[in-house]
Amino acid sequence: LEKVGRQRSQNDAVHLRYGQHLEPFVAQEYERVTGHKTHEHPETLRHPEHPHLFAHVDRLVSVDGEPVTDASGRLTAKTLLECKTASAFTASSWGAEWTDEVPPAYIAQCVWYMELSGCEEAHLAVLLGNSDFRVYRVQQDRELAAFFIERALGFWDEHVVKCVAPVPTTRKEVDQLYPAH
């Protein structure tokens, strides 16, 4: 059973490895379609007041050749890019191109990344089912970002600092917290 569990865990991660493998291709397609240049940004982005709140963006976007950092290395980009791959079966979750009609988890991710990067908008480049490439745009929403920061700080204080696990909400979470019956 342990071997089967390990194998299943490795198989569950295939979609993550697939997405990482295709990220450069998705970024190249985005550049081809938009004419914008993208730049990898491997450094961790941290909230200026709460450095334990962080993010890792896929790319920063240079429009019209503008730099994405200044001489001191501070971000100056106005746009970030998140590269996604998704099953063709999820295509109905994605709306018209260049809108913000994307799955809610991606809205949350983009708003969080924009808050920590200082970017004003995020582009999502998605390859659906290996044959349908689309680009979406999410604008910064300061009210939603403030809500996320407040919730993250609350979670940090109530669970991380106090070493108190949150109440499980799914069977999988219960199994992880209590592996023995």
Side-chain angles (χ1 to χ4, degrees), residues 14 44 50 56 83 94 109 138 143 146-147 157 162-163 171:
V14 166
T44 301
H50 310 287
H56 296 273
C83 302
W94 299 82
Q109 180 184 25
V138 177
E143 187 177 330
F147 172 77
D157 291 341
K162 294 179 180 177
C163 295
R171 173 63 189 228

Side-chain angles (χ1 to χ4, degrees), residues 32-158:
R32 186 185 64 76
V33 167
T34 64
H36 301 322
K37 179 90 173 106
T38 65
H39 305 268
E40 291 186 49
H41 186 75
E43 292 86 18
T44 301
L45 301 175
R46 296 193 181 276
H47 191 280
E49 297 171 32
H50 310 287
H52 56 288
L53 304 181
F54 61 90
H56 296 273
V57 299
D58 289 342
R59 302 279 195 286
L60 296 170
V61 177
S62 175
V63 179
D64 298 327
E66 67 188 16
V68 295
T69 59
D70 64 16
S72 69
R74 189 180 63 85
L75 292 184
T76 57
K78 301 282 188 255
T79 305
L80 64 88
L81 174 67
E82 281 301 303
C83 302
K84 304 296 179 193
T85 56
S87 165
F89 298 111
T90 67
S92 64
S93 300
W94 299 82
E97 286 190 78
W98 290 103
T99 69
D100 64 358
E101 297 169 6
V102 301
Y106 295 138
I107 296 279
Q109 180 184 25
C110 289
V111 168
W112 182 263
Y113 287 3
M114 286 185 282
E115 181 65 17
L116 296 182
S117 68
C119 289
E120 296 168 3
E121 71 178 25
H123 292 174
L124 283 142
V126 61
L127 179 61
L128 291 163
N130 298 331
S131 62
D132 185 1
F133 182 80
R134 302 180 193 176
V135 179
Y136 295 86
R137 178 182 11 225
V138 177
Q139 300 292 322
Q140 177 56 287
D141 182 329
R142 297 280 180 217
E143 187 177 330
L144 187 55
F147 172 77
F148 289 157
I149 297 295
E150 179 184 319
R151 294 295 302 251
L153 292 173
F155 184 89
W156 181 265
D157 291 341
E158 293 301 314

